[in-house]
Amino acid sequence: MAAELVERVGDEKLLYLVGVQTRGVPLAKRLAKLIGTTTGHEPPVGALDITLYRDDVGPWRAAHQQPLLRDTELPVAIDGRVICLVDDVLYTGRTVRAALDTLMDYGRPQAIRLAVLVDRGHRELPIAADFVGRAVPTSHSEDVQVRVTECDGEEGVWIAKEVGG
Amino acid sequence: MSVKPASRLRGKDLVGIDPLTAGEIQLILDTAEQMREIAERPIKKVPALRGKTVVNLFMEASTRTRFSFEVAEKRLSADSLNFAASASSVSKGETLLDTALNLEAMQPDFIVLRHQYAGAPHQLARILKSSVVNAGDGAHEHPTQALLDALTIRLKRGTLEGQVVTIVGDLQHSRVVRSNVLLLSRMGAEVRVAGPPSLIPPGMEAMGCRVFHHVEEAIAGADVVMMLRIQLERQGRMNFPTVREYYDFFALTPERLKLARKDCLVMHPGPMNRGVEIDSRVADGPHSVILEQVTNGVAVRMAVLYLLAGGHGEPASD
């Protein structure tokens, strides 16, 4: 994926990886390292918290609980850069929509791309990933969990089926 | 051992620190810490409270608190309505309850209330469907002030636990001191209070603090010194002889500050009376975090509104 990313972006000096909290952040850091070793130029990595831009907070939320806020850290300005958003699972596309709106409030990048580890289908918005680690067909009742050492102490992709109801 | 944040606030309102658990306080402070970053962005606004209406019902004079709430509401994209008692039907004799019921008939989501009587927000909270946020009720509580003070201490010190916080001034008429003593003691800080004996109400210790009559003893070794405002508009009705004498015995001067820890924080909820309760050399000195308190106030109010907007039904299953 790292090689594909560099090839498609063209000028790797413009590339800027932004991980979506929580698990997109360690994934973005790993991608940046890989790109660094192949091209000799490690792109900067940012972290984006999209909570305040979600469409299920406020009047539309179903749960009586506000999601916890996490850090947003963009170490360099995003203006004029080619941003690659990094997330673990692409599902409805609503997180990506929120991430796009969040990013736009920080500046005007030249382009925004999307890289995900797992694309599990079932999009509810017209959003597609540019780089996909693996497309995994799933059903709505299944739960796809990506675990990374940095957050979970273990590593892998789990597909869990809901039992009973 | 730090307190684990609660997953949500249990009530629909924030009427005081007293009903909050340590976990709820931790949740508000954690959320506020994240809210601070929004003020650093090129576009200082997030859509989280889009379509929510907040009525700022201020029945008593306030500049800082009202502005702070208004900035917080705007940064979260809520619509704010400001109500000034002098330009309203209150001057025509309408009761608080009627005013509030009339406002609620316009379907606001929040009512932020500042009132001269203790318990006014509690009464509204019971009757209204909107979330009521106490922005200061009489000499009772001022929860968002205590929360912003706590956030300021936490950001500078990393924790509230074990911090020695000394609060000096008019303990009798101050809602700031009540909310602060309740919050800080609940979060494991050691709270000391000092002031003229005539301005110390009975039962202070029961709230979780130690009472001192000599300000020097109270300040010795303190991590934080918080000075309260002497309400000069009560001059003549105040329970001490003169402002000059108050300065001599209780003001925070550079000499007194030397008794505290070397890296002690100096705080004041404002508005300050320079040369009365605090010396200008201290107010503008390197220990002062007074303006940071104001910055943190916006973040704390954003956090409170955001968390209360989450509703108060059953917790989410996940």
Side-chain angles (χ1 to χ4, degrees):
Chain A
M1 195 192 282
E4 203 188 333
L5 236 154
V6 173
E7 197 190 313
R8 287 269 300 281
V9 170
D11 187 356
E12 71 255 22
K13 299 230 161 38
L14 288 180
L15 185 62
Y16 187 169
L17 301 183
V18 175
V20 178
Q21 289 279 21
T22 308
R23 284 172 190 76
V25 180
L27 293 176
K29 284 183 183 154
R30 292 184 197 181
L31 260 177
K33 279 236 156 56
L34 279 173
I35 293 170
T37 49
T38 52
T39 67
H41 178 84
E42 193 175 319
V45 179
L48 201 66
D49 180 66
I50 56 111
T51 308
L52 295 168
Y53 292 76
R54 284 167 66 132
D55 58 11
D56 55 355
V57 300
W60 302 277
R61 20 164 304 291
H64 287 289
Q65 184 177 323
Q66 295 285 58
L68 288 181
L69 306 188
R70 304 188 186 280
D71 290 331
T72 291
E73 268 172 81
L74 295 168
V76 284
I78 65 169
D79 298 278
R81 306 294 294 247
V82 175
I83 305 290
C84 185
L85 280 171
V86 182
D87 206 357
D88 54 352
V89 181
L90 179 59
Y91 184 22
T92 60
R94 288 175 190 270
T95 302
V96 176
R97 195 281 308 161
L100 291 174
D101 283 352
T102 313
L103 266 184
M104 293 302 186
D105 279 359
Y106 281 92
R108 188 176 190 281
Q110 191 195 94
I112 303 177
R113 311 276 177 229
L114 175 62
V116 296
L117 188 62
V118 177
D119 180 353
R120 61 166 293 191
H122 304 290
R123 218 75 78 238
E124 291 168 5
L125 297 174
I127 278 168
D130 300 276
F131 313 98
V132 178
R134 183 145 193 189
V136 183
T138 58
S139 80
H140 270 302
S141 63
E142 286 166 333
D143 184 25
V144 179
Q145 291 175 6
V146 170
R147 296 185 199 157
V148 292
T149 318
E150 292 90 328
C151 308
D152 312 292
E154 56 182 344
E155 193 97 2
V157 179
W158 274 256
I159 299 177
K161 249 204 165 66
E162 200 178 330
V163 183
Chain B
M1 195 193 78
S2 73
V3 180
K4 196 177 171 298
S7 60
R8 67 191 182 104
L9 300 182
R10 289 163 306 150
K12 81 171 167 72
D13 313 287
L14 178 72
V15 291
I17 296 298
D18 203 23
L20 297 179
T21 62
E24 287 176 306
I25 293 167
Q26 194 79 334
L27 173 67
I28 297 173
L29 296 179
D30 287 354
T31 307
E33 205 171 318
Q34 301 291 358
M35 290 291 187
R36 272 169 54 91
E37 185 267 334
I38 292 167
E40 316 285 322
R41 300 183 186 182
I43 295 178
K44 298 192 256 302
K45 202 178 183 73
V46 295
L49 292 192
R50 207 154 44 99
K52 298 272 183 193
T53 306
V54 187
V55 177
N56 296 315
L57 187 54
F58 279 70
M59 312 297 263
E60 205 185 53
S62 160
T63 314
R64 201 176 331 260
T65 306
R66 188 168 60 78
F67 266 58
S68 179
F69 268 105
E70 208 179 324
V71 171
E73 291 150 14
K74 288 183 160 49
R75 297 238 162 107
L76 291 171
S77 301
D79 297 308
S80 318
L81 302 173
N82 289 309
F83 181 102
S86 57
S88 70
S89 300
V90 174
S91 57
K92 298 175 190 162
E94 190 173 59
T95 65
L96 171 67
L97 208 54
D98 282 330
T99 304
L101 286 170
N102 276 278
L103 288 170
E104 182 154 88
M106 301 178 207
Q107 279 90 30
D109 300 283
F110 292 94
I111 293 192
V112 176
L113 179 69
R114 157 72 59 95
H115 201 278
Q116 58 271 35
Y117 293 141
H122 305 68
Q123 192 191 5
L124 288 198
R126 275 195 300 275
I127 289 154
L128 302 182
K129 288 194 290 292
S130 329
S131 291
V132 176
V133 180
N134 183 359
D137 62 327
H140 181 220
E141 277 227 47
H142 193 350
T144 55
Q145 177 70 44
L147 286 161
L148 76 88
D149 291 337
L151 179 63
T152 307
I153 298 171
R154 211 178 77 162
L155 286 168
K156 290 282 172 190
R157 289 275 190 263
T159 179
L160 295 171
E161 213 173 309
Q163 296 293 311
V164 178
V165 182
T166 302
I167 308 176
V168 183
D170 177 356
L171 309 174
Q172 176 92 49
H173 301 102
S174 173
R175 51 193 169 217
V176 175
V177 75
R178 270 173 194 69
S179 290
N180 258 304
V181 171
L182 289 168
L183 188 156
L184 291 167
S185 58
R186 200 155 295 174
M187 301 307 279
E190 182 191 330
V191 192
R192 304 173 179 174
V193 298
S198 54
L199 289 173
I200 299 174
M204 270 313 280
E205 289 92 344
M207 289 197 298
C209 58
R210 280 174 70 201
V211 178
F212 293 79
H213 295 295
H214 293 285
V215 73
E216 290 80 5
E217 288 170 24
I219 289 177
D223 295 286
V224 179
V225 181
M226 195 183 291
M227 300 308 293
L228 302 173
R229 187 172 80 94
I230 284 302
Q231 304 181 356
L232 289 173
E233 64 274 17
R234 292 175 195 266
Q235 256 299 322
R237 285 178 289 139
M238 289 301 279
N239 303 333
F240 55 83
T242 65
V243 165
R244 181 76 223 169
E245 189 180 307
Y246 187 85
Y247 177 89
D248 287 343
F249 283 99
F250 293 99
L252 190 58
T253 57
E255 296 73 39
R256 288 202 175 106
L257 188 57
K258 286 201 185 91
L259 301 168
R261 257 182 57 159
K262 225 168 51 215
D263 57 350
C264 163
L265 306 177
V266 171
M267 301 175 69
H268 193 298
M272 278 188 283
N273 297 305
R274 289 168 181 269
V276 181
E277 70 266 4
I278 188 162
D279 192 291
S280 272
R281 286 167 292 175
V282 176
D284 305 326
H287 297 275
S288 169
V289 292
I290 293 170
L291 294 175
E292 285 165 64
Q293 288 175 266
V294 179
T295 305
N296 291 333
V298 175
V300 153
R301 286 159 186 137
M302 286 171 79
V304 166
L305 293 170
Y306 168 72
L307 291 170
L308 289 178
H312 48 281
E314 287 305 301
S317 52
D318 54 345

